[in-house]
Amino acid sequence: MPWSRSRRALAHDASAVMAEAEGIVMARSHLAEAHREAEALCAALPWLTTGQAEDLTRHYVERRIDLTRQMLRTTVRRADELRRAYEARYAELRGALLRRHVAWASGLLAIATGINAALWLFTR
């Protein structure tokens, strides 16, 4: 038992590390993409001075990263809402199924008891 728990813990830790690494790679990718877009924008505006281009690039990247964060937070919030709704519906359906099984089992038990009683009376 302890071995399987430690393997599960290691698998969970490895999964967490992979998720964190994926997040870092995605963040770097978004940052690099924002820089490329800002540089392309500055290249389309040749009259900008070097300082103005750097300032525009910095503001563009900051705004783009803020928008990406906002979109991710919204997505996470919506995913959590959906997860809670699906879990509630699943629990509701599971309860209904359990009640149906109990009703059928009770009915079958009552029928079997009735048949047993009838057979007992007839064989007496």
Side-chain angles (χ1 to χ4, degrees):
M1 266 310 205
W3 174 249
S4 64
R5 269 193 236 134
S6 66
R7 291 180 88 184
R8 272 185 269 154
L10 285 174
H12 178 68
D13 290 345
S15 176
V17 168
M18 289 299 293
E20 186 175 344
E22 181 182 14
I24 291 170
V25 169
M26 284 179 60
R28 297 281 179 164
S29 172
H30 282 286
L31 187 61
E33 185 179 343
H35 275 287
R36 281 192 302 273
E37 290 174 3
E39 290 168 1
L41 176 62
C42 290
L45 306 172
W47 59 86
L48 293 177
T49 64
T50 304
Q52 290 172 329
E54 289 171 358
D55 214 21
L56 179 63
T57 299
R58 184 176 48 79
H59 284 293
Y60 182 89
V61 169
E62 286 175 5
R63 182 68 180 138
R64 173 77 190 280
I65 296 304
D66 288 342
L67 286 172
T68 301
R69 280 190 187 119
Q70 183 181 2
M71 287 181 357
L72 286 172
R73 285 186 186 121
T74 302
T75 302
V76 167
R77 194 171 26 256
R78 180 64 179 144
D80 189 48
E81 290 171 4
L82 288 173
R83 181 187 52 78
R84 281 187 269 124
Y86 285 134
E87 284 176 353
R89 180 67 177 146
Y90 176 76
E92 181 183 319
L93 291 172
R94 188 174 178 196
L97 184 63
L98 180 63
R99 284 188 297 277
R100 286 184 190 134
H101 278 82
V102 168
W104 276 100
S106 298
L108 287 175
L109 183 61
I111 290 170
T113 303
I115 291 172
N116 187 30
L119 288 175
W120 184 76
L121 286 175
F122 286 127
T123 59
R124 217 169 165 230

